[in-house]
Amino acid sequence: MPDQLNSAQLEAVQTAAGPLLVLAGAGTGKTRVVTYRIAELIRRGTPAGRILGVTFTNKAAGEMRQRIREILGKQKELPEISTFHSHCVRILRRHIQHLNYPSRFAIYDRRDQLSIARNVLREIRVAANVLRPDDLLAIIGSWKSNSIRAAEAERLAETDRQHVAAVGYRRYQQALRSMGAVDFDDLLLLTDDLFSQHSGSRREEASRFDQILIDEYQDTSSSQYRIIKALAVGHRNLCVVGDDDQSIYGWRGAEVEHILRFKKDWPDAKVVRLQENYRSSMEILQVANRLIEFNKKRFDKQLHSTRIGGERPQVLQFRDETKEAEAIVADIYRWVENRGIPPSDIAILFRTNEQPRAFESELRRAHLPYTLVGGSSFFDRKEVRDLLAYLRVLSSPRDEVSLLRIINLPPRGIGMKTVSRILDVAVSNGVSVWELIERPGELSEISPVALQSLDAFRSLIKSLRRNIEKRTVVEIVRNTVERIGYREEMERIYSDPQEIQSRWAAVEELTNAAAIFDERFKTGTALEGFLDDLTLDAQERESDKEKKLDQDAITLMTLHAAKGLEFPHVYMVGMEEGILPHHRSLKDNEEDVDEERRLCYVGVTRAQDRLTFSMAQTRRKWGKPRPTQPSRFLYELTGQAEGAHTPDKATSTNQMAAPDTRRRAKRKSLR
């Protein structure tokens, strides 16, 4: 093992007890450190099952599990490697009844949330021009990301719109609870509530592990921070790995302060700095180091490359965004067509979602393959959503959003008028829709034909749920598809055989997913676990990011989406004030500009061999060209004080200049 680790990595791996902070700079091999440290803990006698590793994405968790498996070889038991949300699901399945939720709660995704939001706004009589369902969910999501519950939101609301949203938030949570459901953000908030309100549950969960490792610690929210502390405070064997210079998710509740104050929280903590970069050339790292030093509050560290040489980054300036796109694409064309560089080696990174339009047009014109990371996912397919709704109802008939989706799917004579009447009676009687369907005598105003259809629907669901605990998930899926006649419904709706086959392929893929789940968990039916996995996975994979990145195509993506990736050739475009840093950060405080600088730093450190910055002197707004200002980050990257570069020509970073008014580097080093 020592031959595979540098001295700093080895120090982190062999620190087996007590709190440990591993400051892992970009490209310094943090995943290797985490996996080797887990293997070392097991080698020293810690049972694998007593080790918990937590990261932020299923992809990262999967990679970590695979690497550990390769290191451990035939080790039968593996440590628990999980995302925050997946681990919280397991905790809540064991204890959520203490918060007056059913243990078989459903996890609602975006579409389900929108359905509830629409109903809530209708109930509180809010017009669409005041607050739309999407807007309400965005505000609620922002509150939840910052660990603000509904009652606190009502106290904090200042504007009329916020007061309306706070009322909607309270109703929204009431609706979720009445349906025995939670949303994605609730997984963290409710676990936080559970630990703060029920010490027995907190102690039980903390006693499950002797060692805890947290990856990407700089991205933790307040709720995650408290959950980690509650789990580790007893044994104090907490290792956190992260980089304060790559904290870029403040807009969704991440607080860089958590990693900066780790030594204050754990005074006896050991700090190990990983500064040896295996990704980028030294020329690129010099630019990155120079930029990030302008942030005041950070740990003192300097990345240095294991590679010799490298091409100096350059800055390109153009008349407008059209010329910028034309020249960038022309440069890419030369690399791909003349020098044989694979398209997948190239990335164009931008700050806002509006920027790629011009680049897409030029790439199409040049017949260069590209992929724009974003768009709809497999989980947005109607067929997948229909069948998942059935499975959720089979798991928990109180799941009202799913129940209302399938109540007349395929059509069975239960129209909107009947559904509306059922909802009215359910609300007035304070019962769930399913409870009312099981007590049809209370639906006196519904026609005999509709009542007969409701009876058939109830019988179908009960039949599908019979012996469900003894069946595998794939059996449940196949049985459901067959019993509801879903293939016949497709053939009724669509006349084109190719469209029918395309849509049926989604059904087959869902069935495949069920079979794979059963192979992984050979313990009989685990429908709840299957639904949990799919919901958590869909939350991360809404843009099919991984599939698109596997293509041999030029990648267009935001700087936020690029974190964790690397490309031999990187173009960072739109380097202008108002874009990067974003205009929102300029209206607030210096900490927001610091986060934008960290975002720029993340972009710079994605590049392995060649890095190009570009900007436009004018950019269109509402169809009219408006003058721009070069991003302050361009000046900071260069370390120069005066001068200007020539439009439409390349300028190396040692020539790029800053105006006299440039803010000098001032930083507070945290040692």
Side-chain angles (χ1 to χ4, degrees):
M1 181 174 67
D3 294 340
Q4 297 170 303
L5 301 171
N6 62 43
S7 58
Q9 291 173 334
L10 187 62
E11 183 181 8
V13 165
Q14 294 183 337
T15 303
L20 170 66
L21 169 61
V22 180
L23 290 170
T28 57
K30 71 180 178 66
T31 304
R32 171 178 290 187
V33 168
V34 171
T35 52
Y36 272 101
R37 188 173 188 277
I38 290 173
E40 178 69 5
L41 290 172
I42 295 172
R43 189 187 69 80
R44 294 189 182 196
T46 302
R50 302 289 298 173
I51 300 172
L52 170 66
V54 181
T55 187
F56 276 80
T57 67
N58 284 327
K59 178 176 180 287
E63 288 178 352
M64 201 176 292
R65 276 193 294 268
Q66 180 59 31
R67 291 203 193 186
I68 292 169
R69 193 175 287 113
E70 291 171 359
I71 295 171
L72 295 178
K74 296 182 179 181
Q75 170 89 21
K76 291 183 179 179
E77 187 180 23
L78 290 176
E80 183 170 322
I81 307 296
S82 174
T83 65
F84 270 102
H85 290 86
S86 295
H87 189 65
C88 286
V89 168
R90 289 191 283 274
I91 291 172
L92 292 174
R93 289 288 180 208
R94 292 189 283 263
H95 303 282
I96 200 172
Q97 66 274 12
H98 295 306
L99 300 175
N100 297 318
Y101 281 82
S103 59
R104 301 185 71 174
F105 60 87
I107 305 172
Y108 279 2
D109 64 11
R110 180 71 179 182
R111 294 270 181 104
D112 301 325
Q113 293 173 264
L114 279 171
S115 179
I116 296 177
R118 277 192 290 270
N119 291 337
V120 164
L121 292 174
R122 190 164 52 242
E123 288 174 13
I124 62 179
R125 300 173 185 251
V126 176
N129 61 344
V130 177
L131 197 66
R132 297 176 304 160
D134 276 313
D135 298 330
L136 176 61
L137 290 181
I139 296 171
I140 291 174
S142 176
W143 276 328
K144 288 188 174 185
S145 293
N146 289 283
S147 301
I148 297 172
R149 277 71 171 174
E152 188 180 0
E154 292 188 36
R155 291 195 302 271
L156 294 175
E158 295 178 352
T159 66
D160 290 343
R161 196 164 187 264
Q162 288 175 344
H163 280 289
V164 171
V167 173
Y169 185 6
R170 176 166 47 82
R171 294 286 189 95
Y172 171 83
Q173 289 302 118
Q174 289 171 350
L176 282 174
R177 185 185 288 269
S178 70
M179 297 173 192
V182 302
D183 66 18
F184 199 66
D185 292 321
D186 283 335
L187 298 175
L188 299 177
L189 292 182
L190 291 176
T191 303
D192 189 9
D193 289 342
L194 177 74
F195 284 177
S196 65
Q197 298 171 22
H198 298 275
S199 57
S201 297
R202 183 181 67 247
R203 286 193 297 269
E204 181 182 332
E205 290 301 319
S207 68
R208 291 177 179 272
F209 304 101
D210 299 322
Q211 293 275 355
I212 298 177
L213 298 93
I214 309 295
D215 192 17
E216 304 287 6
Y217 190 67
Q218 78 280 351
D219 293 335
T220 52
S221 67
S222 295
S223 293
Q224 290 164 332
Y225 170 79
R226 287 189 290 269
I227 291 167
I228 293 165
K229 207 166 185 180
L231 291 174
V233 71
H235 54 68
R236 297 178 60 78
N237 293 322
L238 173 64
C239 170
V240 302
V241 183
D243 183 8
D244 52 305
D245 291 336
Q246 296 186 76
S247 179
I248 60 173
Y249 297 115
W251 49 275
R252 69 183 188 195
E255 296 183 28
V256 69
E257 286 294 328
H258 295 158
I259 193 169
L260 294 178
R261 71 177 183 223
F262 188 80
K263 278 285 289 181
K264 183 177 180 181
D265 291 337
W266 308 87
D268 57 331
K270 184 174 185 177
V271 179
V272 176
R273 289 170 169 81
L274 305 184
Q275 301 175 99
E276 195 168 346
N277 179 283
Y278 295 91
R279 175 190 299 155
S280 306
S281 70
M282 196 62 224
E283 291 280 0
I284 291 171
L285 293 185
Q286 285 174 349
V287 167
N289 289 333
R290 188 181 297 139
L291 170 73
I292 202 61
E293 284 185 345
F294 278 79
N295 273 3
K296 294 180 180 179
K297 294 178 66 177
R298 61 183 293 268
F299 286 101
D300 185 25
K301 52 190 177 298
Q302 287 268 320
L303 295 181
H304 53 273
S305 179
T306 58
R307 298 167 51 187
I308 299 173
E311 185 175 328
R312 178 173 292 165
Q314 63 177 349
V315 177
L316 305 176
Q317 181 172 283
F318 303 98
R319 184 173 67 243
D320 56 35
E321 68 269 37
T322 302
K323 290 293 183 183
E324 178 187 37
E326 288 175 357
I328 294 290
V329 172
D331 191 48
I332 291 173
Y333 186 89
R334 286 190 290 271
W335 282 96
V336 173
E337 295 298 323
N338 299 342
R339 305 195 188 185
I341 297 297
S344 57
D345 279 1
I346 301 169
I348 302 174
L349 307 183
F350 45 86
R351 175 64 178 86
T352 68
N353 289 318
E354 296 77 27
Q355 289 174 259
R357 181 198 57 78
F359 293 93
E360 286 192 84
S361 298
E362 290 302 319
L363 288 165
R364 283 196 295 268
R365 197 170 287 126
H367 302 291
L368 289 170
Y370 75 91
T371 180
L372 176 65
V373 176
S376 62
S377 84
F378 169 76
F379 297 94
D380 283 329
R381 297 288 297 267
K382 177 184 182 298
E383 298 72 34
V384 175
R385 299 191 65 79
D386 288 346
L387 294 176
L388 288 181
Y390 265 99
L391 296 178
R392 285 173 177 161
V393 170
L394 299 186
S395 176
S396 173
R398 289 181 60 186
D399 184 343
E400 205 157 281
V401 169
S402 297
L403 183 64
L404 293 176
R405 182 181 181 96
I406 67 170
I407 197 169
N408 199 41
L409 177 74
R412 52 175 61 90
I414 306 174
M416 290 302 299
K417 187 176 179 181
T418 300
V419 172
S420 180
R421 181 56 189 155
I422 292 171
L423 286 170
D424 289 342
V425 176
V427 171
S428 61
N429 291 355
V431 298
S432 70
V433 170
W434 179 253
E435 287 176 292
L436 199 56
I437 291 174
E438 289 201 298
R439 304 197 313 243
E442 297 178 27
L443 297 170
S444 56
E445 295 184 22
I446 292 178
S447 70
V449 175
L451 282 173
Q452 188 175 359
S453 298
L454 274 175
D455 182 66
F457 175 68
R458 179 177 66 252
S459 298
L460 170 68
I461 296 301
K462 286 191 170 183
S463 174
L464 289 171
R465 296 190 77 211
R466 192 170 298 127
N467 296 323
I468 197 172
E469 306 294 339
K470 297 180 181 178
R471 294 192 222 153
T472 63
V473 180
V474 72
E475 287 172 347
I476 296 169
V477 173
R478 288 171 179 160
N479 186 45
T480 301
V481 171
E482 182 180 345
R483 290 286 303 279
I484 67 176
Y486 201 70
R487 174 77 188 206
E488 292 78 4
E489 174 64 3
M490 280 187 181
E491 293 171 349
R492 182 186 73 81
I493 297 175
Y494 309 109
S495 57
D496 185 349
Q498 289 186 345
E499 183 172 13
I500 293 171
Q501 187 52 43
S502 172
R503 292 179 178 274
W504 186 249
V507 177
E508 292 176 338
E509 186 60 27
L510 183 65
T511 309
N512 293 339
I516 292 170
F517 182 88
D518 286 331
E519 289 175 7
R520 285 169 53 205
F521 302 92
K522 296 179 180 180
T523 55
T525 184
L527 182 57
E528 292 167 9
F530 177 66
L531 292 172
D532 290 344
D533 266 17
L534 283 186
T535 304
L536 294 168
D537 201 34
Q539 185 77 20
E540 291 180 16
R541 292 170 45 193
E542 288 202 351
S543 65
D544 286 332
K545 177 177 173 180
E546 299 307 319
K547 187 184 295 185
K548 292 187 175 183
L549 289 172
D550 285 339
Q551 301 177 24
D552 186 19
I554 297 149
T555 301
L556 277 71
M557 67 195 319
T558 64
L559 288 162
H560 282 100
K563 186 173 182 293
L565 302 176
E566 56 187 36
F567 302 89
H569 301 258
V570 168
Y571 296 84
M572 290 179 61
V573 301
M575 295 292 294
E576 301 145 31
E577 289 288 292
I579 294 181
L580 186 67
H582 195 275
H583 65 85
R584 282 195 301 266
S585 69
L586 303 178
K587 295 177 181 178
D588 298 316
N589 53 49
E590 193 172 311
E591 290 181 1
D592 293 316
V593 174
D594 285 352
E595 179 157 322
E596 291 288 298
R597 188 175 287 106
R598 292 194 292 269
L599 185 59
C600 184
Y601 174 83
V602 165
V604 170
T605 53
R606 298 314 93 196
Q608 296 172 289
D609 305 320
R610 185 169 170 268
L611 174 63
T612 301
F613 303 98
S614 72
M615 63 159 292
Q617 289 180 305
T618 64
R619 194 169 291 273
R620 289 176 182 83
K621 292 185 179 179
W622 298 104
K624 296 181 179 180
R626 304 286 176 85
T628 68
Q629 288 186 318
S631 169
R632 70 190 67 191
F633 301 151
L634 285 177
Y635 301 133
E636 296 169 1
L637 285 159
T638 64
Q640 300 300 309
E642 296 179 355
H645 58 279
T646 305
D648 294 329
K649 291 186 178 179
T651 307
S652 62
T653 52
N654 69 332
Q655 296 171 306
M656 181 63 193
D660 292 334
T661 55
R662 190 195 72 172
R663 177 168 66 90
R664 295 290 181 180
K666 296 178 181 177
R667 59 186 172 85
K668 178 181 179 182
S669 177
L670 302 173
R671 300 185 183 273

